[in-house]
Amino acid sequence: MLKLSNILSADIGIDLGTANTIVYVRNEGIKLREPSVVAIQTGTKRVLAVGVEARNMIGRTPPNIISMRPMKSGVIADFDITEAMLQYFIRKVCPRRFYSKYVRPRLVIAVPSGITDVEKRAVEDAAHAAGAGTVILIEEPMAAAIGVGLPVSEPQGSMIVDIGGGTCEVAIISLGGIVHSYSARQAGGDAMDECIASYIKRVYNLLVGERMSEMIKIEIGSAYPMAEEKTLEVKGRDIVAGLPKTLTITSEEVREALKDPVGQIVDAVRTTLDKCEPELAADLVDRGLVLSGGSSQLRGLDKLLSDQTGLPVTVADDPLSAVAEGTGAVLKEIDSLEKYRRSAS
């Protein structure tokens, strides 16, 4: 006989990213993809908009409204705003009638592998405050590896490089655990956007916004020389004249701007491989490594990493959803995990 709590509650997996939040509901799949952005009233914690609506406000708000990201480098930067954002997303996929004071959704949340116990506790507290019951944390590279279908439970090495908005997570996994990992907090998509904006400001005295920088990265950004280089029209404000201005930049220039964050990704991979035991290294010679995360879609990044490591490199079929899909796989075992946690405590 089914318990009432099993009928009414929902099991939810969350990829709580710096740039985007993806929510997976057990037996239903991915139900929500929205930017991790919240618009609040200046001087207060009153939430005015969350997700897509809040993201559209970035750079366009009057003085009484602030559009912000409560997550930074994969960890909580503003607890209250993160709580409000989580509550909004939970209620959007799990209507109020399905949870109450007595019956609350159980969450599996992916977090960066390099965060501290205090930062983990902040995620758990924010989730509980947002209305969750049981909260289980899983490291992002493990979730990504599960999500892309790597044989993480087998006695052989698998390597995953998950590049999100705030961090680059590198891990070598075997027998269901992370053997070696490295978390680079300044090598994600946000760092790439900042480097592009800084380059354009330095070279052309042109200020461009966050969304324009991201568009440049997506449209003509690359980590490796392309067969056919591209150009893009960029709009911003001239620092000297103080007026709107349009100019054209090339993909070669963008590649130059991205040298630092891309170099950090390469260093993170090489550092992790340098710690690798001979047996695991032998496994990786044939299996190579897999790229996941939204920023892994940067053109030519797989070719660059292959050149630098000598290993085969593949990009996941759906890199943006890898971590969320991994939390979804963990949800299938949530009853066993919850039972284990209770017995351990």
Side-chain angles (χ1 to χ4, degrees):
M1 183 176 179
L2 289 174
K3 294 181 180 180
L4 179 62
S5 61
N6 289 340
I7 298 172
L8 294 179
S9 65
D11 295 333
I12 300 172
I14 300 179
D15 175 9
L16 187 61
T18 304
N20 297 286
T21 295
I22 304 176
V23 180
Y24 186 109
V25 178
R26 185 178 181 181
N27 298 325
E28 297 183 38
I30 292 175
K31 299 289 288 184
L32 179 146
R33 298 174 188 263
E34 292 211 29
S36 302
V37 184
V38 180
I40 62 173
Q41 189 171 34
T42 304
T44 72
K45 296 291 185 179
R46 182 188 170 199
V47 176
L48 303 176
V50 180
V52 175
E53 185 180 354
R55 187 179 187 278
N56 291 336
M57 297 181 182
I58 292 178
R60 299 186 175 99
T61 58
N64 64 318
I65 298 175
I66 299 175
S67 190
M68 61 177 290
R69 290 182 178 178
M71 304 290 294
K72 186 175 182 180
S73 298
V75 298
I76 293 177
D78 189 303
F79 183 88
D80 293 333
I81 304 304
T82 302
E83 175 194 331
M85 182 177 72
L86 275 172
Q87 188 175 66
Y88 171 85
F89 291 146
I90 291 172
R91 289 185 177 181
K92 195 164 184 179
V93 301
C94 179
R96 182 72 182 180
R97 67 179 180 274
F98 288 113
Y99 72 98
S100 64
K101 178 180 178 181
Y102 306 102
V103 181
R104 297 187 172 197
R106 298 180 296 181
L107 303 187
V108 173
I109 303 178
V111 296
S113 60
I115 69 173
T116 65
D117 290 339
V118 173
E119 291 167 335
K120 289 179 181 178
R121 181 73 184 187
V123 174
E124 292 178 336
D125 290 345
H128 286 306
T134 300
V135 177
I136 296 174
L137 303 184
I138 180 174
E139 294 173 312
E140 283 180 3
M142 177 61 79
I146 295 171
V148 301
L150 291 178
V152 297
S153 61
E154 295 181 12
Q156 54 185 321
S158 297
M159 189 169 187
I160 187 79
V161 180
D162 184 63
I163 312 169
T167 62
C168 169
E169 302 282 323
V170 184
I172 296 174
I173 300 168
S174 179
L175 288 170
I178 294 178
V179 183
H180 298 293
S181 67
Y182 189 95
S183 181
R185 294 198 177 187
Q186 297 300 320
D190 287 350
M192 294 180 189
D193 297 343
E194 290 171 7
C195 286
I196 291 172
S198 178
Y199 177 88
I200 294 174
K201 178 182 178 182
R202 184 177 71 252
V203 175
Y204 294 106
N205 288 322
L206 186 74
L207 288 176
V208 296
E210 179 182 319
R211 297 188 68 180
M212 177 59 71
S213 299
E214 184 180 24
M215 187 184 78
I216 294 169
K217 176 185 68 180
I218 293 172
E219 294 293 329
I220 64 172
S222 67
Y224 198 86
M226 297 187 290
E228 183 179 344
E229 300 292 353
K230 301 181 178 182
T231 61
L232 183 70
E233 191 176 79
V234 177
K235 300 174 183 177
R237 177 169 63 85
D238 189 295
I239 297 176
V240 178
L243 299 172
K245 181 180 176 181
T246 301
L247 58 85
T248 300
I249 64 170
T250 66
S251 53
E252 293 97 328
E253 291 178 286
V254 178
R255 191 160 54 250
E256 176 66 26
L258 293 174
K259 264 190 175 181
D260 185 51
V262 168
Q264 289 192 47
I265 293 171
V266 173
D267 289 343
V269 172
R270 292 175 66 94
T271 299
T272 308
L273 287 170
D274 190 49
K275 302 175 184 176
C276 192
E277 289 76 5
E279 291 80 3
L280 292 174
D283 293 337
L284 297 177
V285 169
D286 296 323
R287 302 171 66 87
L289 58 93
V290 178
L291 301 180
S292 67
S295 298
S296 69
Q297 299 174 97
L298 181 69
R299 293 176 187 82
L301 183 58
D302 54 340
K303 293 180 181 179
L304 178 66
L305 286 172
S306 183
D307 280 357
Q308 292 293 319
T309 63
L311 299 175
V313 179
T314 58
V315 181
D317 293 336
D318 186 2
L320 191 60
S321 303
V323 173
E325 292 286 354
T327 64
V330 175
L331 287 174
K332 297 176 182 178
E333 307 295 331
I334 193 169
D335 292 319
S336 300
L337 290 171
E338 190 172 19
K339 184 178 180 180
Y340 173 78
R341 281 161 57 98
R342 286 174 179 171
S343 64
S345 61

